[in-house]
Amino acid sequence: MRLLIVDDSALMRRQLAKCFESEPDIEVALARDGEDALLKMREFQPDAITLDINMPKMDGLTCLAHIMEERPCPVIMVSSLTEKGAMATFEALELGAVDFIAKPDGTVSLSIDLVFDELRAKVRGVVNPSRRRTERPRVAPRASVRERVTERLASSRPAAARPSRRIVVQQSGDCDLVLIGSSTGGPGTLGAILEALPADFPAPILVAQHMPPRFTRTYSQRLQETCDIRIEEVDRPTPLEAGTVYIACGGMDVAVTHQLRRIVARPVDPDPDRIWHPSVAHMVQTATSVLDPKRLIGVMLTGMGDDGAREMAQIHVEGGRTIAESEETAVVFGMPQQLIEQGGASLVLPFNKVAAQLLRWVGTQTAERTAACR
């Protein structure tokens, strides 16, 4: 596979290239800014690109817009761990980037080697060998971006008996909680799903999206700009209410508990035995310990690895309902594929059909009203 690394710092280019020195099947080319990247892209025909955001002549966002218009391919942004870096990163994701890597300590990071394993995994994850050098479908950008950049620019086993500590929560319909897990490629996919849900969706939604600290607050704020349903970051113990999406705090895990007969989500220290955070497995496992799986809905979206697949499959086994994103739209098919292979998917759907299915499953007037408008 061919990888184009774009960064205005010669030191960073050398360091990022070093990350792939031990990968004999990855050929690397380097570009010093956005203008150079577009020239190299035409000559080198990369399968994937890592792209810095802050560069002279042509910045990363402008370069990304041209890439998405001229020759769409998987782009991973290399971002700084700051609020400004987070805002630019999510603008990049809205423009068509599939994921990002956060530099540990600033624009020129002397400890970039700390994320080498993650970077190699993400580069390999976003390039499907069967789809190389093709313009495969990407997550649709939001309407405001579509106008600027062409279409981008301009049956389960009987349920086991559950402990009596579980509670029954009086939500409308027959669902107490929707649990969504996602990783690589997830921010754009999740945004498209949530934008299709109404403000009065009759159950709470809890999301574990693999993301570093300080990014989930900005992500939640940007989602709220385009979603009718309410969006909130779980940065403290939070009672879960219908009509709200709760985004687990970046770099932490999230646990579902109950207090005074209410469902509560609270951030907890990340489990050192788990690789990715917020952990989908921890979220689902704690939810099924206090709620009846028959009244849970699990959704597994794009992402590497198998985080939460076993736990979400158990929801299906015990009578709950689950959705796995299909390979045709998943940026990385790993997590949904694991759910499917474990026999844990009630349905396999492209991401753009997930919202409609959730509305059918909640079985309320909201769903009927929304369906009538489609």
Side-chain angles (χ1 to χ4, degrees), residues 211-224:
M211 201 169 282
R214 292 188 288 276
F215 275 67
T216 45
R217 174 162 297 181
T218 302
Y219 181 48
S220 301
Q221 291 168 349
R222 293 189 74 86
L223 283 175
Q224 192 63 85

Side-chain angles (χ1 to χ4, degrees), residues 1-3 17-28 120 124 132:
M1 61 178 287
R2 297 176 180 176
L3 173 67
K18 182 180 178 181
C19 174
F20 297 94
E21 284 180 353
S22 61
E23 309 295 315
D25 60 329
I26 299 180
E27 181 182 356
V28 174
R120 281 191 294 264
R124 290 191 178 279
R132 288 182 191 169

Side-chain angles (χ1 to χ4, degrees), residues 98-311:
V98 297
D99 208 345
F100 66 95
I101 288 285
K103 295 178 181 177
D105 50 10
T107 302
V108 179
S109 178
L110 300 179
S111 56
I112 192 69
D113 58 306
L114 295 176
V115 299
F116 276 4
D117 289 346
E118 182 182 1
L119 178 57
R120 281 191 294 264
K122 289 193 174 186
V123 166
R124 290 191 178 279
V126 300
V127 179
N128 183 327
S130 67
R131 297 175 179 172
R132 288 182 191 169
R133 312 211 198 313
T134 64
E135 296 185 7
R136 63 177 176 143
R138 316 289 320 157
V139 173
R142 300 183 182 187
S144 60
V145 177
R146 247 188 333 260
E147 293 170 359
R148 297 202 310 266
V149 191
T150 59
E151 292 186 0
R152 285 199 171 272
L153 298 175
S155 210
S156 62
R157 297 191 301 270
R162 306 306 298 178
S164 61
R165 66 179 179 276
R166 282 188 172 145
I167 58 171
V168 176
V169 180
Q170 297 303 318
Q171 304 284 357
S172 58
D174 59 356
C175 174
D176 289 336
L177 180 62
V178 178
L179 300 162
I180 300 180
S182 64
S183 184
T184 304
T189 302
L190 182 61
I193 292 170
L194 298 184
E195 287 172 14
L197 296 178
D200 58 349
F201 187 80
I205 299 173
L206 181 59
V207 176
Q209 163 67 52
H210 297 162
M211 201 169 282
R214 292 188 288 276
F215 275 67
T216 45
R217 174 162 297 181
T218 302
Y219 181 48
S220 301
Q221 291 168 349
R222 293 189 74 86
L223 283 175
Q224 192 63 85
E225 293 173 2
T226 56
C227 294
D228 292 330
I229 194 168
R230 183 168 170 255
I231 312 291
E232 183 174 335
E233 182 193 33
V234 182
D235 58 357
R236 60 192 181 282
T238 305
L240 303 186
E241 300 177 350
T244 305
V245 177
Y246 299 90
I247 309 293
C249 192
M252 302 287 286
D253 285 343
V254 65
V256 180
T257 62
H258 65 83
Q259 298 176 8
L260 301 176
R261 301 189 64 80
R262 300 185 70 183
I263 312 175
V264 173
R266 59 184 180 87
V268 295
D269 290 336
D271 184 341
D273 293 331
R274 302 188 191 278
I275 300 174
W276 303 103
H277 307 283
S279 166
V280 182
H282 193 273
M283 174 185 70
V284 177
Q285 188 177 53
T286 58
T288 56
S289 70
V290 296
L291 295 168
D292 184 350
K294 295 187 185 70
R295 296 180 60 84
L296 295 176
I297 295 175
V299 181
M300 188 69 85
L301 301 177
T302 173
M304 293 183 295
D306 61 355
D307 181 24
R310 180 172 59 86
E311 292 77 11

Side-chain angles (χ1 to χ4, degrees), residues 51-69:
L51 182 60
D52 190 19
I53 292 177
N54 299 308
M55 297 184 294
K57 292 188 178 180
M58 180 186 290
D59 64 78
L61 294 178
T62 304
C63 179
L64 176 63
H66 284 287
I67 292 169
M68 289 298 109
E69 181 180 39

